[in-house]
Amino acid sequence: YNFTYPFSSSISTANGSALVKIGNTTVICGIKGELTCPPSDAPNKGYIVPNVDLPPLCSSRFRPGPPSEQAQVASQFIADVIDSSNVIQKEDLCIEKGKLSWVLYCDIICLDYDGNLLDTCVVALLAALKNARLPEVTINKETDLAEVNTDKLHHLNVSKHPVSSSFSIFDNTIVIVDPTVEEETLSTAMMTVVTDEDDRLCMLHKPGGSALSGEKLQDCISRAVTRHREVSKLIEKVMDSFEPDK
Amino acid sequence: MRDGPNTHVGSMMDVAVSPVLALRKFGCEQSLLSRPDGSSSFVQGDTSVLAGVYGPAEVKISKEIYDRATLEVMIQPKVGLSGVRERAQEHCVRQTCEAALLSTLHPRSSLSLILQIIHDDGSLLSCCLNAACMALMDAGLPMSCLFCGVTCAIEQDGHIVTDPTSQQEKESRALMTFAIDSAERRVMMSSTRGSFSVNELQQCVALSQRASEEIFQFYRDSVRRRYSKTL
Amino acid sequence: MRETPLSNCERQFLLKAIEEKKRLDGRQTYDYRNIKITFGTDYGCCVVDVGKTRVLAQVSCELVAPKDNRPTEGIMFINLELSPMASPAFESGRQSELHVTLNRLLERCLRNSKCLDTESLCVVSGEKVWKIRIDVHVLNHDGNIMDAASIAAITALCHFRRPDVGIQGEEVTIYTPEERDLIPLSIYHMPVSVSFSFFQQGTFLLVDPCEREERVMDGLLVIAMNKHREICSIQSSGGIMLLKEQVLRCNKIASVKVCEITELINKALENDRKVKKEGGKFGFAESMAKERITALKSEIAPVEMIDIEEKAEDIICRTGAPCDTVPSPVVRAPGTGQVGEGLQNAWGLDEVEEEEEEEDDIEQGGPEKQPESETITSKKGDVVVISDSEEEEVVILHQGVEVKDFREEMSSGQKQATSASKKKKKKRKLAH
């Protein structure tokens, strides 16, 4: 593996943020909480809105303008990871049923693109969510208006810790973990496995490409499990290192 | 499926023993549209997808690839415009088709595959894959293998259901769609939702491989039927 | 992709044939092609075939706030989509001139003729009304999209049922179909458009032009009318001058055609209702799907002998039987699962060491980390150097590699990684 390193709290204006590097790939994630009305079909839930941005800055392959297909696919992937893994219970984001809830905008911006974007994004998202602190909000009974108490900040309740591991597959014989951009373009297929701390799979995302047998899949999954331990330890360590100061 | 799937071993997880474990009726019709070079409609239960293929044809300079054909996949939802979710599905279908197609035989040309959702009643992505494969076949494009899509849902109680309806999808704990290739029955594409254990995953993979046999048989029968008159 | 151009000889042939009052498909000048209407399994969905032109229409509804100037009226929204499937010339996401024209024509035909009782769509005046949305997708373009679209749209509207709503105080609840029956829309009249194409400066006229005829025509006249012979919209395009008599003659033809088509629509709707009633709730979906397939079958099979039709019926593929004798994943899972477990165990051991190392790290590096992370940018250089050295640590998995080797490789890789992390931290400390 190339080395992963999350730095947290790098953006002061966001509620939570993290910068993650895997090899040369650098991704920054900012989380901004806003108050909104909960969705009418699920009045006790909040929203999480992820967005992955691949600006022309990160690689010459991206052009300015509307989000590229890859960026849209990555956004959808992150949204699916959030949904599937229940990283945050959406019920926790509700302040008052049917009236007020949080919407978390998770903006992930790639600063340097050198392959393995999805892994980096997931680590960044997780680190940023763990780092995020939202102010306390109460609803004033008389005026029916929300009052934000910015002195009281509390962490989000991160219930699951999904970590993803990407593999590049070359004709079903060679599997490479954590591919760089060259490896990604040369490979015949990509696969991303997302696991949580109970060794359950949240996602097995393989968008086409050359075929893979069940045994190979299993290999990759066990690699992903070990990878999960590695990364979650890393995040924990970084998080712990903050706590005493605050 | 190289290590005999037929051997019975005491199962750790119950494989659902119920009539629910079946593929719904499926049907297919090829070359039903006059304009596209290849077209098909695939029906699985109530879910229905119409596919059209154009190409190989002239390609836009900006999209030209010097050593193979450029494949574009578009999924058109029934109501409204296509969004990010469709984009992700398009991505999956495109990469699956790219792997199956021998696109190097048509360098500097364009292939476009358009999928129109006629009705969604669960297992939509697998229906899209099946329709796509039939349309590519109908267009007579060279392919290294065929592929088919199978959707499995794991219910709250751990039972596995193949080819779920949208009602079953909603109630399920996890949902997986696989694309299986016809050559060695391996997994070409996988897309999942919800969390599940490794064991459940492998069960679903094996189940999909089993179900794929039926679909490939269906492919064979329909193609045989299609060309029976001209022989 | 560009449309295949029409060659000069084709063009001349077509024009010549029209002059001789002959058409490519053997129709007479005032004949329509075969019109076929099939309904989907849910309400408000229908596919209309006019010859080879095929159009799909779907009606949907939602509760929205009404427009400010019309607080008691529902909203009707029409969207015609020229799917790239219909013709290689259509591109998705780009509004072509044809697209805009057709959308506008359809809007005039349906909305401006007030065929739908929009006031009945009001739920709470000024607050909530139903918005009826009609999506029309052109699936195959073989001329005369407008007529096919208008038939599809009005049929779908007639077929559509909206859910019932209940108002209690301020709360508006939408009842599910199980709780209360769905309600059909109230339609005043059914406008249907009829297209005429003119050739040779209006000397020759054809009803329901096909795609090739459309390409050589000089002008087009579209008349939308209901069966009471009330004109809903009339538009002439293509820049030809028409005499009053010509328009009146077209009008007369249109009124006949509209009556025929309206009758067909009503018959189709009636038929669908009957099938639904007979099939009951459960069998309805099945019978509809079957019917649609057989309908297509009978339509296409005689024309193209090569066409296959699926034995959707006889192949009710029961993978059930083989499937429930498949405990095979279990065979595989413990086998392969063991690999995972073995690895985990190995990791468990490693983790102990790692933890110790890490604890040390945290003790030393922990407190200093906070200030460092604020000055990341200044230390970018360090990071880059390190990542260079790590590039070699990419682990390659060979299929044949034994589990043990694999494990060793992994753990050594990990150790290197941790040592690298240490190295990194030290460097950062120095820099600090």
Side-chain angles (χ1 to χ4, degrees):
Chain A
Y1 287 110
N2 292 344
F3 195 62
T4 320
Y5 216 90
F7 303 96
S8 289
S9 282
S10 27
I11 311 173
S12 55
T13 52
N15 295 84
S17 61
L19 183 129
V20 172
K21 256 177 101 75
I22 295 185
N24 283 334
T25 304
T26 314
V27 149
I28 192 158
C29 174
I31 291 182
K32 187 90 189 134
E34 280 177 25
L35 293 170
T36 181
C37 270
S40 54
D41 54 329
N44 58 344
K45 286 185 181 175
Y47 299 91
I48 304 177
V49 184
N51 182 40
V52 179
D53 195 8
L54 296 172
L57 164 78
C58 65
S59 164
S60 58
R61 65 168 63 199
F62 302 115
R63 303 257 158 263
S68 62
E69 192 205 53
Q70 197 183 354
Q72 292 190 36
V73 169
S75 299
Q76 182 64 38
F77 174 82
I78 298 293
D80 284 346
V81 168
I82 292 171
D83 277 351
S84 299
S85 62
N86 275 323
V87 59
I88 293 214
Q89 297 285 330
K90 284 193 181 162
E91 286 79 5
D92 290 351
L93 295 175
C94 184
I95 298 160
E96 191 170 310
K97 195 180 173 207
K99 291 269 174 62
L100 201 63
S101 65
W102 284 107
V103 52
L104 294 183
Y105 291 103
C106 310
D107 287 308
I108 301 174
I109 299 169
C110 181
L111 302 178
D112 192 354
Y113 181 84
D114 188 24
N116 205 1
L117 176 74
L118 298 181
D119 283 16
T120 327
C121 287
V122 173
V123 177
L125 177 81
L126 185 59
L129 281 175
K130 285 194 74 110
N131 172 254
R133 287 143 70 91
L134 292 175
E136 194 177 84
V137 178
T138 46
I139 291 188
N140 192 321
K141 283 269 158 37
E142 290 155 27
T143 54
D144 217 26
L145 288 171
E147 288 176 352
V148 182
N149 186 351
T150 42
D151 297 335
K152 273 192 191 169
L153 294 167
H154 55 86
H155 276 287
L156 286 163
N157 182 13
V158 181
S159 50
K160 287 279 188 299
H161 298 81
V163 170
S164 86
S165 325
S166 290
F167 303 87
S168 264
I169 300 149
F170 294 84
D171 292 330
N172 197 33
T173 46
I174 302 169
V175 178
I176 286 188
V177 289
D178 191 15
T180 63
V181 120
E182 285 91 354
E183 285 160 351
E184 273 184 14
T185 43
L186 287 173
S187 72
T188 52
M190 290 285 301
M191 184 167 82
T192 306
V193 183
V194 184
T195 53
D196 65 13
E197 67 264 39
D198 307 326
D199 293 349
R200 290 174 75 78
L201 299 169
C202 306
M203 191 81 146
L204 183 77
H205 182 70
K206 182 175 184 298
S210 62
L212 208 60
S213 60
E215 293 83 355
K216 275 277 167 193
L217 274 180
Q218 192 60 46
D219 270 358
C220 294
I221 293 166
S222 35
R223 297 286 311 211
V225 170
T226 51
R227 167 74 160 171
H228 179 270
R229 274 148 224 259
E230 211 175 299
V231 173
S232 54
K233 187 142 276 172
L234 187 74
I235 293 177
E236 219 155 88
K237 208 166 75 183
V238 175
M239 286 302 149
D240 283 352
S241 63
F242 279 129
E243 288 316 311
D245 301 321
K246 288 197 175 166
Chain B
M1 304 297 285
R2 268 163 286 166
D3 54 347
N6 297 325
T7 39
H8 290 245
V9 175
S11 54
M12 287 152 66
M13 268 289 198
D14 275 357
V15 179
V17 185
S18 67
V20 193
L21 203 68
L23 298 176
R24 289 175 287 176
K25 292 178 190 177
F26 44 82
C28 170
E29 187 185 354
Q30 282 183 312
S31 52
L32 68 164
L33 299 180
S34 65
R35 292 305 295 271
D37 298 317
S39 60
S40 77
S41 89
F42 206 91
V43 184
Q44 278 173 273
D46 283 344
T47 306
S48 164
V49 172
L50 184 67
V53 175
Y54 283 98
E58 195 183 347
V59 65
K60 273 191 199 149
I61 307 263
S62 60
K63 288 180 183 163
E64 187 184 84
I65 306 176
Y66 64 89
D67 63 345
R68 61 196 160 92
T70 312
L71 178 68
E72 271 184 286
V73 176
M74 274 162 271
I75 295 183
Q76 309 262 342
K78 196 152 90 158
V79 174
L81 299 169
S82 60
V84 180
R85 184 163 294 276
E86 279 75 27
R87 228 15 64 67
Q89 289 178 336
E90 281 170 13
H91 182 73
C92 285
V93 176
R94 197 190 71 218
Q95 298 229 356
T96 311
C97 293
E98 272 175 354
L101 283 167
L102 297 168
S103 53
T104 41
L105 296 179
H106 299 288
R108 294 173 210 265
S109 59
S110 91
L111 298 173
S112 43
L113 168 67
I114 305 106
L115 295 163
Q116 170 73 51
I117 296 159
I118 305 284
H119 189 83
D120 178 11
D121 186 28
S123 317
L124 185 65
L125 187 56
S126 59
C127 194
C128 283
L129 285 164
N130 293 335
C133 184
M134 288 301 248
L136 292 174
M137 261 199 268
D138 185 46
L141 293 168
M143 287 193 273
S144 60
C145 61
L146 300 178
F147 57 88
C148 73
V150 184
T151 303
C152 299
I154 303 175
E155 290 179 338
Q156 297 294 345
D157 56 4
H159 284 247
I160 300 173
V161 181
T162 50
D163 200 12
T165 61
S166 49
Q167 185 62 30
Q168 286 169 323
E169 276 187 8
K170 226 176 266 166
E171 288 164 1
S172 68
R173 177 160 57 85
L175 193 71
M176 308 171 207
T177 304
F178 301 103
I180 311 282
D181 78 318
S182 64
E184 291 177 68
R185 306 280 185 274
R186 289 183 307 197
V187 180
M188 293 179 85
M189 194 259 337
S190 117
S191 163
T192 66
R193 203 203 65 204
S195 72
F196 44 87
S197 70
V198 182
N199 202 318
E200 284 168 329
L201 173 85
Q202 289 293 354
Q203 283 186 36
C204 287
V205 170
L207 208 62
S208 309
Q209 287 168 334
R210 229 347 127 77
S212 73
E213 309 263 340
E214 296 292 336
I215 299 174
F216 289 129
Q217 188 54 47
F218 174 82
Y219 281 1
R220 263 193 293 280
D221 289 345
S222 63
V223 172
R224 186 175 297 139
R225 180 164 171 156
R226 177 177 169 180
Y227 291 109
S228 59
K229 288 279 170 65
T230 45
L231 281 175
Chain C
M1 229 184 288
R2 250 181 298 156
E3 187 110 34
T4 332
L6 203 62
S7 64
N8 279 342
C9 51
E10 259 181 305
R11 179 180 297 272
Q12 274 155 16
F13 171 75
L14 275 166
L15 287 172
K16 188 91 179 186
I18 290 161
E19 274 169 35
E20 291 171 14
K21 304 235 178 225
K22 281 179 184 142
R23 292 177 80 167
L24 286 181
D25 39 12
R27 282 185 284 161
Q28 295 298 310
T29 37
Y30 299 151
D31 280 359
Y32 251 91
R33 288 169 287 179
N34 255 349
I35 300 176
K36 193 161 67 71
I37 303 170
T38 38
F39 293 98
T41 38
D42 50 355
Y43 284 110
C45 175
C46 75
V47 175
V48 169
D49 296 79
V50 177
K52 283 179 184 160
T53 298
R54 174 177 291 211
V55 166
L56 165 80
Q58 169 71 53
V59 178
S60 52
C61 65
E62 59 175 331
L63 279 177
V64 293
K67 285 179 183 158
D68 289 338
N69 51 353
R70 299 267 167 87
T72 61
E73 280 185 25
I75 300 167
M76 179 153 123
F77 178 79
I78 302 163
N79 177 37
L80 181 116
E81 211 43 59
L82 291 177
S83 161
M85 188 175 345
S87 159
F90 298 158
E91 273 177 57
S92 66
R94 212 167 53 96
Q95 296 251 324
S96 64
E97 205 180 324
L98 179 70
H99 184 204
V100 176
T101 326
L102 284 171
N103 245 323
R104 185 77 198 106
L105 260 174
L106 198 60
E107 218 165 71
R108 279 209 317 218
C109 168
L110 291 172
R111 190 160 65 194
N112 299 9
S113 70
K114 302 227 185 301
C115 65
L116 185 68
D117 177 12
T118 43
E119 295 206 354
S120 70
L121 297 174
C122 180
V123 179
V124 182
S125 171
E127 280 182 24
K128 281 220 162 89
V129 295
W130 283 109
K131 176 181 178 181
I132 304 292
R133 181 190 169 105
I134 311 168
D135 280 276
V136 181
H137 298 271
V138 182
L139 304 179
N140 199 36
H141 172 34
D142 190 30
N144 206 3
I145 292 175
M146 184 53 214
D147 291 8
S150 85
I151 297 171
I154 193 69
T155 315
L157 272 178
C158 292
H159 190 249
F160 185 66
R161 305 274 188 280
R162 68 171 169 84
D164 201 359
V165 286
I167 307 162
Q168 282 127 11
E170 279 180 36
E171 292 257 311
V172 176
T173 46
I174 303 176
Y175 294 107
T176 58
E178 288 80 34
E179 287 169 341
R180 279 205 203 171
D181 283 345
L182 300 167
I183 306 171
L185 303 173
S186 64
I187 311 266
Y188 288 137
H189 59 96
M190 291 161 67
V192 171
S193 86
V194 178
S195 303
F196 301 88
S197 55
F198 292 91
F199 302 88
Q200 312 281 359
Q201 271 69 49
T203 345
F204 299 99
L205 146 151
L206 294 180
V207 175
D208 183 23
C210 71
E211 200 254 341
R212 278 161 186 254
E213 288 163 346
E214 272 186 358
R215 283 167 112 184
V216 297
M217 73 186 173
D218 291 333
L220 183 73
L221 178 73
V222 180
I223 301 178
M225 205 188 256
N226 60 24
K227 68 173 178 191
H228 313 298
R229 303 190 173 198
E230 291 163 337
I231 296 175
C232 303
S233 82
I234 180 161
Q235 167 160 326
S236 133
S237 56
I240 45 154
M241 311 295 170
L242 292 174
L243 296 169
K244 192 175 137 201
E245 289 78 42
Q246 277 178 316
V247 178
L248 286 177
R249 193 157 64 118
C250 289
N251 225 344
K252 223 173 261 170
I253 301 166
S255 69
V256 176
K257 293 290 166 204
V258 166
C259 281
E260 281 174 20
I261 294 169
T262 316
E263 205 164 294
L264 185 84
I265 294 174
N266 283 330
K267 224 193 239 159
L269 284 167
E270 184 58 41
N271 204 22
D272 179 60
R273 226 169 285 142
K274 219 164 67 191
V275 169
K276 231 171 259 188
K277 220 174 246 168
E278 281 169 3
K281 200 130 190 141
F282 179 67
F284 150 65
E286 303 286 319
S287 68
M288 277 315 291
K290 198 199 326 172
E291 185 179 295
R292 203 191 307 169
I293 282 167
T294 47
L296 285 169
K297 192 186 212 164
S298 57
E299 171 96 289
I300 291 168
V303 187
E304 289 174 58
M305 299 303 269
I306 46 161
D307 236 274
I308 56 100
E309 238 39 74
E310 244 353 290
K311 15 164 195 178
E313 218 29 68
D314 30 280
I315 289 209
I316 303 170
C317 289
R318 295 262 163 207
T319 40
C323 279
D324 47 31
T325 60
V326 183
S328 61
V330 191
V331 182
R332 173 174 299 152
T336 36
Q338 262 174 3
V339 182
E341 273 165 34
L343 270 176
Q344 282 161 26
N345 289 344
W347 275 107
L349 286 174
D350 275 2
E351 263 159 33
V352 181
E353 294 169 21
E354 203 186 315
E355 253 162 49
E356 283 169 8
E357 288 168 9
E358 275 163 15
E359 272 164 26
D360 294 345
D361 277 358
I362 291 164
E363 276 171 15
Q364 299 162 3
E368 285 174 29
K369 237 176 188 174
Q370 174 60 29
E372 272 168 12
S373 62
E374 286 165 12
T375 51
I376 302 158
T377 39
S378 64
K379 280 167 209 165
K380 265 261 149 84
D382 293 4
V383 181
V384 173
V385 173
I386 288 161
S387 60
D388 277 348
S389 70
E390 279 152 16
E391 215 100 88
E392 294 141 29
E393 286 169 26
V394 179
V395 181
I396 301 173
L397 275 178
H398 287 281
Q399 180 150 35
V401 177
E402 276 178 37
V403 182
K404 212 166 180 187
D405 292 358
F406 175 30
R407 214 184 291 159
E408 279 168 12
E409 198 179 307
M410 265 301 292
S411 52
S412 66
Q414 170 62 18
K415 269 178 196 153
Q416 278 169 17
T418 41
S419 63
S421 84
K422 272 176 143 181
K423 207 161 68 185
K424 187 167 179 178
K425 269 176 208 142
K426 273 174 198 155
K427 276 203 180 176
R428 296 166 90 238
K429 255 187 266 167
L430 286 173
H432 189 65

